[in-house]
């Protein structure tokens, strides 16, 4: 019962939009053949259209959309892809080697501390 009610409301809304659209476009369809062989009438870049002004803004819009997509992709790649290959992994690997050398006795405690400060800097 509720589905039928919603269906009727949607159908009536679409019918209202279609009727309003036909009413608003009726002056354009009522024009006689005075369009000087234009295929789309005055609506396409003609007397009532945007002309060059609209074409420039259309190009500007698409350039901005493409530039925005490129910056979004670059930002996503920088923030997600570079985490694993940052200096943190290299520093921890160097620290592991340093600890191993200290444990084997290859370096003294003072050398260990000075190299540790260099790695963590």
């Amino acid at each position: 019962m509720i589905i039928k009610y919603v269906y009727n409301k949607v159908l009536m809304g679409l019918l209202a939009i279609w009727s309003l659209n036909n009413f608003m476009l009726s002056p354009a369809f009522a024009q006689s053949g005075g369009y000087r062989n234009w295929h789309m009438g005055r609506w396409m870049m003609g007397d009532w259209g945007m002309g060059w002004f609209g074409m420039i803004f259309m190009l500007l819009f698409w350039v901005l959309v493409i530039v925005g997509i490129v910056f979004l992709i670059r930002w996503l790649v920088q923030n997600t892809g570079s985490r694993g290959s940052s200096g943190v992994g290299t520093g921890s690997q160097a620290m592991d080697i340093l600890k191993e050398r200290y444990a084997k006795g290859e370096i003294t405690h003072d050398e260990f501390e000075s190299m540790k400060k260099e790695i963590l800097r």
Side-chain angles (χ1 to χ4, degrees):
M1 186 107 175
I2 293 175
I3 296 173
K4 191 173 185 180
Y5 175 76
V6 171
Y7 176 77
N8 285 337
K9 286 292 183 182
V10 169
L11 191 61
M12 292 302 284
L14 290 174
L15 184 62
I17 291 171
W18 179 73
S19 300
L20 185 62
N21 188 23
N22 284 340
F23 176 73
M24 296 298 284
L25 289 178
S26 62
F29 294 133
Q31 298 285 337
S32 63
Y35 290 128
R36 298 184 302 264
N37 263 345
W38 290 0
H39 296 288
M40 296 296 289
R42 294 181 174 212
W43 299 101
M44 288 296 290
M45 306 276 187
D47 294 340
W48 299 344
M50 294 294 285
W52 289 101
F53 187 70
M55 197 179 320
I56 290 170
F57 274 107
M58 179 184 65
L59 289 174
L60 181 66
F61 169 77
W62 284 113
V63 165
L64 289 175
V65 166
I66 291 169
V67 166
I69 290 171
V70 167
F71 277 117
L72 178 68
I73 291 172
R74 284 184 62 198
W75 179 78
L76 287 173
V77 167
Q78 288 175 355
N79 287 341
T80 58
S82 63
R83 286 187 185 159
S85 63
S86 66
V88 175
T90 309
S92 64
Q93 188 179 19
M95 200 61 183
D96 291 340
I97 295 170
L98 183 63
K99 287 178 184 177
E100 186 179 328
R101 287 185 65 199
Y102 180 64
K104 288 181 181 179
E106 295 177 4
I107 57 174
T108 64
H109 182 69
D110 294 333
E111 291 173 331
F112 174 76
E113 289 298 325
S114 67
M115 290 181 188
K116 179 178 164 185
K117 287 180 185 175
E118 285 291 321
I119 291 172
L120 295 178
R121 186 170 16 143

